[in-house]
Amino acid sequence: MIPELGHFTLVLALLVALVQGSLPMLGAARGRADWMAVARPAAFLQCAATVLAFAALTWAYVVSDFTVLNVVQNSHSAKPMLYKVTGVWGNHEGSLLLWVLILTIFGAAVAGFGRNLPPSLKARVLGVQAWVAIGFFTFMLFTSNPFERIWPAPLDGNDLNPLLQDPGLAFHPPLLYLGYVGFSIAFSFAIAALLEGRVDPAWARWVRPWTLAAWTFLTGGIALGSWWAYYELGWGGWWFWDPVENVSFMPWLLGTALLHSAIVVEKRDALKVWTILLAILTFSLSLLGTFVVRSGLLTSVHAFAVDPTRGLYILLLLVIAAGGSLALFAWRAPSLKAGGLFAPVSREGGLVLNNLLLATATATVLLGTFYPLFVEAFTGGRLSVGPPYFNATFLPIMLPLVAVMAVGPMMAWKRADLAGVLGRLKFVALAAVLAAAATWYIQEGGPVLAALAMGLAVWLFLGTLWELGERVRLFRVPAGDSWRRARGLPRAAWGMSLAHAGLAVAMAGMIGSSAWKQEEVRVVRPGDEVALGGYSFRFDGAQRIQGPNYLSDTAPLTLLRDGRELGTLYPERRFYPVQEMHTTQAAIRTNGLYDLYAVIGDPQPGGAWTLRLYLEPLVPWIWFGAAFMALGGLVSLSDRRLRVGAPRKAAKAAAQPAPAE
């Protein structure tokens, strides 16, 4: 009965979305306040209905209701409760329901917190959001019903993919979807602005917090997914330029550009057309990612193995959403008034360069990801584009971006003195050169590009701290005055500094783990020792351990240095009988500067095992830095200027009809 209730609430949510997407939009076009007012309660009702549907599917997983086909295909009675719950979104239908749930939550949030929005703009934003939801509600109900029954019901289920039975999967997909779907709000604001023919600083003030929230969630989701791949897949890496990794990374890149572009619109009433285009393209890339993982185009641990007909439906949604919005942009964008002028050397100019580099980087990732698919589709041949391509194209674009990031925040709006700014950063530049030289010396002439990149990471980190010090006039006024200035700084300024410094830390981690990683692969027997990076690993033999729903071959490794025991690592090789699948569980010991990483492979004759050992320099800094970036986003969101949006007077003024042009 509860699955039928979930199905009914999905139908109800679709019907409410149809009302929300039509009546308020007509009201905004005709100036009918009563019709526009329908959008707010409709958004709340649509969200409530979707929450009930999601709760019904979760209940079916928790109680192992094997009359529901989705539960049969992705759960098992012996599975731990955590993975029963996370199994809800560990499949095509359930993850789609989570996608729509987050979409309706964002719509309800706009309805609840957008009190200062002009009624016509609010009605149009919620209307566009409803039409996006309609596409996915119809997709679920017609092709991917998560509540489909099966009869006769089997005694047990098929279990969840063992690779997904991990605590990281409890948080990675929801965070990723909060980022993906969160950009739908920026998209809805962009379409609403095109329909109204008005983009102004007040509009940017309303858009920024939603864009920042989506960016923060997506940052956390990508970082958590990278961490999960690092410790779960057992290959000692944190990023492989997998196509499905790339389709989550591209919205992050363009979303970063959108976030900075919206600042220019708010502060200087410039880059309005470009910002609208970025909002459309960012969400279009999110839809593209949804299509890729559900179309059957790619084989990946991240992808859902579904039939291509479902992918065709999402492709149609993508064409309608992206193509229709771009057509509207081409029609309405020329009517938008140009904004303020600025010199190339200015804060605005730095942000424009930031946007151009991020957009170019996105294009290189897009080309490398989809070019092999086009080649296969049109010629039938297979082409592999891997890390060498991305390292050769993406990295040279990002290094100038990092160089500019330390300079941009210190430049004045409208017109700046570049020589003066660089002069204030001379000690930072000296420290960066010394860091690059020290890296070169310590690594005995290691890769030149790695040493230069490490210098750039130091440049960005110290430049960010220097800019913050100048804001509070550190060492120029008494310490008490600097403290009062620091307390009075807007939280958005603190958030920016945290995010930029976090990127510098993450960048250092990426460089260290890529350039100076050490690896040792050996076949070992009990009592054998393997040396790596000044440590010795003694293999003490494998043990068979019974897990909740798996069998584990655990291989204790005693860690020694200079003959002194430091502890024991426990890498595992697990076998899941239901899925008949093996997985690896890496054992990781970290001191914050580097990781010791151990994995056991296949058993060999005579009680021997394959053992892979890695020394990963600075790799923990990747996730420390990502955490600081996400924290910077949260701190910025707490800034009252972003939480209250545009002033009520500005909202009332914006509510007046736009003059004829």
Side-chain angles (χ1 to χ4, degrees):
M1 183 64 184
I2 289 182
E4 279 70 33
L5 176 63
H7 190 206
F8 170 77
T9 54
L10 274 184
V11 175
L12 175 62
L14 172 61
L15 296 176
V16 173
L18 288 168
V19 174
Q20 180 183 330
S22 54
L23 193 59
M25 298 280 276
L26 289 172
R30 299 184 180 183
R32 293 286 302 268
D34 52 342
W35 290 7
M36 288 188 284
V38 170
R40 189 169 187 266
F44 291 144
L45 181 56
Q46 183 191 156
C47 179
T50 312
V51 167
L52 286 175
F54 190 81
L57 185 61
T58 303
W59 179 89
Y61 270 85
V62 168
V63 301
S64 296
D65 184 355
F66 295 122
T67 66
V68 178
L69 179 61
N70 186 260
V71 179
V72 172
Q73 293 174 336
N74 300 284
S75 191
H76 191 275
S77 59
K79 193 166 64 172
M81 182 56 68
L82 174 63
Y83 304 136
K84 287 184 179 180
V85 174
T86 59
V88 174
W89 53 78
N91 59 88
H92 166 67
E93 293 83 0
S95 66
L96 197 62
L97 182 55
L98 176 65
W99 210 101
V100 179
L101 172 67
I102 294 172
L103 186 72
T104 61
I105 288 175
F106 270 102
V110 171
F113 296 110
R115 292 185 296 273
N116 288 339
L117 285 170
S120 61
L121 180 64
K122 184 175 181 179
R124 287 185 166 116
V125 168
L126 293 177
V128 174
Q129 194 77 359
W131 279 108
V132 175
I134 287 168
F136 284 92
F137 279 130
T138 54
F139 179 42
M140 271 195 299
L141 291 171
F142 296 149
T143 72
S144 307
N145 181 10
F147 301 104
E148 183 179 346
R149 295 283 197 174
I150 182 173
W151 189 259
L155 296 177
D156 220 324
N158 300 334
D159 206 1
L160 180 67
N161 183 339
L163 289 174
L164 306 182
Q165 295 187 37
D166 184 87
L169 265 294
F171 305 102
H172 166 57
L175 278 177
L176 205 63
Y177 286 7
L178 282 165
Y180 267 167
V181 183
F183 285 125
S184 67
I185 297 295
F187 173 81
S188 297
F189 267 98
I191 300 303
L194 289 173
L195 292 173
E196 294 213 344
R198 183 190 299 272
V199 179
D200 54 21
W203 176 87
R205 178 78 66 87
W206 289 314
V207 165
R208 272 186 65 198
W210 301 106
T211 304
L212 182 58
W215 179 89
T216 301
F217 286 128
L218 191 55
T219 300
I222 292 174
L224 190 58
S226 172
W227 181 55
W228 168 79
Y230 174 69
Y231 71 78
E232 175 68 20
L233 299 185
W235 55 287
W238 46 270
W239 191 265
F240 194 65
W241 295 106
D242 179 281
V244 183
E245 291 175 336
N246 294 348
V247 295
S248 68
F249 187 44
M250 289 186 289
W252 185 88
L253 290 170
L254 273 197
T256 305
L258 171 62
L259 193 58
H260 290 82
S261 181
I263 296 174
V264 180
V265 178
E266 180 185 350
K267 301 293 186 183
R268 296 289 302 144
D269 196 25
L271 300 185
K272 294 187 287 190
V273 173
W274 172 247
T275 303
I276 291 288
L277 179 61
L278 280 178
I280 293 172
L281 292 179
T282 301
F283 183 60
S284 296
L285 286 176
S286 296
L287 291 177
L288 181 64
T290 304
F291 162 69
V292 165
V293 300
R294 299 167 198 280
S295 62
L297 283 176
L298 300 172
T299 301
S300 167
V301 67
H302 307 82
F304 296 108
V306 298
D307 60 272
T309 57
R310 292 176 175 178
L312 186 61
Y313 195 107
I314 295 186
L315 180 61
L316 180 61
L317 292 180
L318 174 62
V319 170
I320 293 174
S325 58
L326 289 174
L328 178 63
F329 174 81
W331 175 43
R332 297 288 289 169
S335 67
L336 297 177
K337 292 183 178 179
L341 300 176
F342 54 86
V345 180
S346 61
R347 177 80 67 87
E348 298 96 321
L351 291 171
V352 168
L353 181 58
N354 159 292
N355 272 224
L356 291 175
L357 290 172
L358 285 170
T360 305
T362 305
T364 64
V365 177
L366 183 70
L367 177 64
T369 302
F370 288 96
Y371 181 69
L373 298 179
F374 290 136
V375 169
E376 184 176 353
F378 290 106
T379 69
R382 289 188 174 273
L383 179 68
S384 177
V385 175
Y389 162 81
F390 293 102
N391 294 337
T393 58
F394 179 81
L395 296 182
I397 296 170
M398 296 307 292
L399 292 181
L401 176 64
V402 173
V404 171
M405 285 176 64
V407 178
M410 299 185 67
M411 300 179 73
W413 293 103
K414 197 172 182 179
R415 184 182 300 275
D417 177 14
L418 180 59
V421 171
L422 293 176
R424 287 149 59 192
L425 289 171
K426 57 181 178 293
F427 294 112
V428 174
L430 177 61
V433 171
L434 291 176
T439 302
W440 172 269
Y441 176 77
I442 292 171
Q443 296 300 326
E444 300 177 349
V448 177
L449 186 59
L452 293 176
M454 192 64 76
L456 274 178
V458 171
W459 160 262
L460 175 58
F461 185 81
L462 294 182
T464 299
L465 295 183
W466 195 275
E467 188 270 340
L468 190 60
E470 289 212 343
R471 280 177 179 263
V472 302
R473 298 184 64 80
L474 190 64
F475 306 128
R476 298 185 182 183
V477 298
D481 291 345
S482 290
W483 174 245
R484 281 190 292 273
R485 285 175 175 270
R487 292 179 59 188
L489 278 181
R491 292 181 185 176
W494 284 104
M496 178 196 72
S497 298
L498 279 171
H500 285 190
L503 178 60
V505 173
M507 180 178 169
M510 296 171 190
I511 297 164
S513 62
S514 300
W516 301 296
K517 177 178 180 176
Q518 298 180 39
E519 178 181 357
E520 190 72 38
V521 181
R522 299 276 283 276
V523 174
V524 293
R525 291 175 172 79
D528 287 353
E529 291 190 12
V530 180
L532 178 69
Y535 293 89
S536 290
F537 299 79
R538 188 179 68 224
F539 177 60
D540 297 327
Q543 307 168 359
R544 175 62 59 90
I545 298 173
Q546 176 68 55
N549 62 333
Y550 60 83
L551 294 173
S552 170
D553 289 310
T554 303
L557 297 173
T558 301
L559 181 66
L560 305 102
R561 186 160 197 172
D562 299 326
R564 183 168 56 92
E565 292 190 6
L566 302 179
T568 305
L569 286 75
Y570 296 93
E572 297 180 58
R573 185 173 185 267
R574 293 179 178 178
F575 176 68
Y576 290 79
V578 176
Q579 291 265 336
E580 296 186 352
M581 181 175 176
H582 287 92
T583 67
T584 59
Q585 296 289 314
I588 302 172
R589 183 186 177 98
T590 183
N591 63 3
L593 291 176
Y594 55 82
D595 282 359
L596 298 173
Y597 185 106
V599 179
I600 59 167
D602 297 330
Q604 303 295 325
W609 289 81
T610 302
L611 178 65
R612 297 199 308 277
L613 300 173
Y614 301 93
L615 177 68
E616 305 267 6
L618 301 184
V619 73
W621 291 18
I622 297 174
W623 298 290
F624 292 155
F628 274 112
M629 292 169 68
L631 179 61
L634 293 175
V635 170
S636 294
L637 276 174
S638 70
D639 193 318
R640 185 175 180 274
R641 296 177 306 166
L642 292 182
R643 285 186 286 112
V644 300
R648 188 170 295 274
K649 287 184 178 179
K652 289 181 178 179
Q656 301 300 319
E661 296 178 4

